Amino acid sequence: MPASASIQDIGARYEQARAALSSPNPNLEALKPQLSQLKVGLVQLAMQSSQAGSDPTFMALQRNVTELGAEFSIKTGDIAAFERYLAQLEPFYFGDRMGLGESKVMYPLIGLNLLRMLSENLIADFHTMLERIDLEQLQTNPFIVHPVKLEQALMEGSYKKVWQARSEVPTPEYVFFMDILMSTIRNEVASCVEKSYASLPFDDAKSVLFFSNLDGLLKFANERQWTVSPAEKRITFQTAAEDARAFQGESIMKQTLAYARELERIV
């Protein structure tokens, strides 16, 4: 990008990068330097004119490039970068929004940020963010309603609703954080189950751990170093030294599945 690139030049480059990222199979490696060039170009423009910070065209372009960075970070799985971009977007999303109108991707990104907070168990931050969102949006906007209902399901200990929420995401990008959340829940449930049962049949283990297929369960079992018996179609959790531990019955399973009621206490 030329050292003296104009706002029109940067705007045109932004539109190209936006179109590339929105394509069915974006070339993320090629987009990374383009995003860096856009950010450098904005800094150069700000240095060239002390009035840039009050220019609506410049401010809108700055917001657009930051949003592009946030979306790029989700596609590349860079959670730390996503969090930084959303922090930069707060002045554009709350209060007077820097004098700009509402962005088309504002609520999808806020919803993703709420889901990130849930996946990282940042319950206090989650509720603080909800307080900054209009009540009407909390009740009707699908990008906000999804994480709100998800948090309610977690507090109720309703794992089934959490699992179903993965197939009800308002945009495919939500699946990224849903998978992180389900992984956290699955590992916590697994820790409880292996302390409560000597073994479980494949079908029961698959159900309680929310796997949709046997391959996923077997891979998970291997990661946790459980003993798998294909002949018996059963997973054994205990070592030989622990086999004498008494089976504690259905009440333990209920306690295990109620884990989500205490989710906010898990660090």
Side-chain angles (χ1 to χ4, degrees), residues 121 154-155 181 184-185 259-266:
N121 194 37
L154 288 170
M155 295 305 101
L181 180 59
T184 300
I185 291 175
Y259 133 84
R261 296 190 183 95
E262 301 298 324
L263 184 64
E264 69 272 22
R265 300 181 186 179
I266 298 173

Side-chain angles (χ1 to χ4, degrees), residues 174-188:
Y174 277 52
V175 173
F176 175 73
F177 287 119
M178 284 297 303
D179 285 347
I180 294 175
L181 180 59
M182 283 308 305
S183 178
T184 300
I185 291 175
R186 184 175 287 126
N187 277 290
E188 291 296 331

Side-chain angles (χ1 to χ4, degrees), residues 152-180:
Q152 292 172 349
L154 288 170
M155 295 305 101
E156 294 169 1
S158 180
Y159 284 173
K160 185 176 182 180
K161 289 182 180 179
V162 175
W163 177 245
Q164 290 175 337
R166 188 185 184 280
S167 62
E168 300 169 352
V169 293
T171 180
E173 285 73 20
Y174 277 52
V175 173
F176 175 73
F177 287 119
M178 284 297 303
D179 285 347
I180 294 175

Side-chain angles (χ1 to χ4, degrees), residues 61-108:
L61 183 56
Q62 184 180 37
R63 182 189 65 185
N64 292 345
V65 171
T66 306
E67 290 175 333
L68 187 72
E71 294 175 65
F72 178 84
S73 65
I74 288 295
K75 291 185 180 294
T76 57
D78 191 340
I79 299 175
F82 176 78
E83 185 176 358
R84 290 194 298 271
Y85 280 120
L86 264 293
Q88 295 170 29
L89 284 167
E90 286 198 10
F92 296 103
Y93 287 174
F94 302 104
D96 66 359
R97 299 177 182 171
M98 306 297 287
L100 300 176
E102 185 178 291
S103 164
K104 292 180 179 180
V105 297
M106 170 180 163
Y107 286 110

Side-chain angles (χ1 to χ4, degrees), residues 6-18:
S6 67
I7 195 168
Q8 290 79 14
D9 293 331
I10 299 175
R13 289 177 178 269
Y14 161 76
E15 292 297 340
Q16 293 173 0
R18 162 60 68 189

Side-chain angles (χ1 to χ4, degrees), residues 2-263:
S4 59
S6 67
I7 195 168
Q8 290 79 14
D9 293 331
I10 299 175
R13 289 177 178 269
Y14 161 76
E15 292 297 340
Q16 293 173 0
R18 162 60 68 189
L21 187 64
S22 302
S23 65
N25 296 296
N27 185 337
L28 299 179
E29 285 299 319
L31 274 168
K32 187 174 182 179
Q34 293 180 38
L35 180 59
S36 296
Q37 291 171 5
L38 285 170
K39 292 189 289 187
V40 169
L42 286 173
V43 172
Q44 292 174 342
L45 281 178
M47 293 176 64
Q48 291 169 14
S49 172
S50 59
Q51 303 299 317
S54 58
D55 181 354
T57 302
F58 175 84
M59 298 303 292
L61 183 56
Q62 184 180 37
R63 182 189 65 185
N64 292 345
V65 171
T66 306
E67 290 175 333
L68 187 72
E71 294 175 65
F72 178 84
S73 65
I74 288 295
K75 291 185 180 294
T76 57
D78 191 340
I79 299 175
F82 176 78
E83 185 176 358
R84 290 194 298 271
Y85 280 120
L86 264 293
Q88 295 170 29
L89 284 167
E90 286 198 10
F92 296 103
Y93 287 174
F94 302 104
D96 66 359
R97 299 177 182 171
M98 306 297 287
L100 300 176
E102 185 178 291
S103 164
K104 292 180 179 180
V105 297
M106 170 180 163
Y107 286 110
L109 285 176
I110 290 177
L112 276 168
N113 201 30
L114 287 169
L115 199 51
R116 175 192 65 82
M117 293 173 185
L118 286 181
S119 72
E120 296 179 353
N121 194 37
L122 301 174
I123 306 302
D125 291 347
F126 179 89
H127 285 284
T128 298
M129 181 60 69
L130 291 186
E131 292 174 358
R132 305 182 70 182
I133 301 173
D134 293 340
L135 180 60
E136 181 181 354
Q137 300 297 332
L138 288 175
Q139 296 174 336
T140 63
N141 191 298
F143 300 105
I144 305 302
V145 169
H146 182 272
V148 168
K149 287 186 175 180
L150 185 61
E151 192 261 352
Q152 292 172 349
L154 288 170
M155 295 305 101
E156 294 169 1
S158 180
Y159 284 173
K160 185 176 182 180
K161 289 182 180 179
V162 175
W163 177 245
Q164 290 175 337
R166 188 185 184 280
S167 62
E168 300 169 352
V169 293
T171 180
E173 285 73 20
Y174 277 52
V175 173
F176 175 73
F177 287 119
M178 284 297 303
D179 285 347
I180 294 175
L181 180 59
M182 283 308 305
S183 178
T184 300
I185 291 175
R186 184 175 287 126
N187 277 290
E188 291 296 331
V189 171
S191 295
C192 295
V193 169
E194 64 188 1
K195 290 179 175 64
S196 305
Y197 289 90
S199 65
L200 280 178
F202 284 172
D203 287 345
D204 290 348
K206 184 158 64 74
S207 178
V208 77
L209 292 169
F210 296 93
F211 281 105
S212 57
N213 57 71
L214 182 59
D215 288 343
L217 171 65
L218 296 181
K219 181 180 178 181
F220 183 76
N222 181 63
E223 292 171 353
R224 296 194 66 97
Q225 299 182 327
W226 292 338
T227 301
V228 177
S229 174
E232 298 179 0
K233 296 183 178 181
R234 180 173 288 272
I235 292 176
T236 300
F237 308 113
Q238 298 166 304
T239 66
E242 297 171 319
D243 283 344
R245 183 171 53 202
F247 177 77
Q248 299 180 45
E250 184 179 354
S251 62
I252 295 295
M253 179 57 72
K254 291 181 178 179
Q255 181 180 352
T256 299
L257 297 182
Y259 133 84
R261 296 190 183 95
E262 301 298 324
L263 184 64

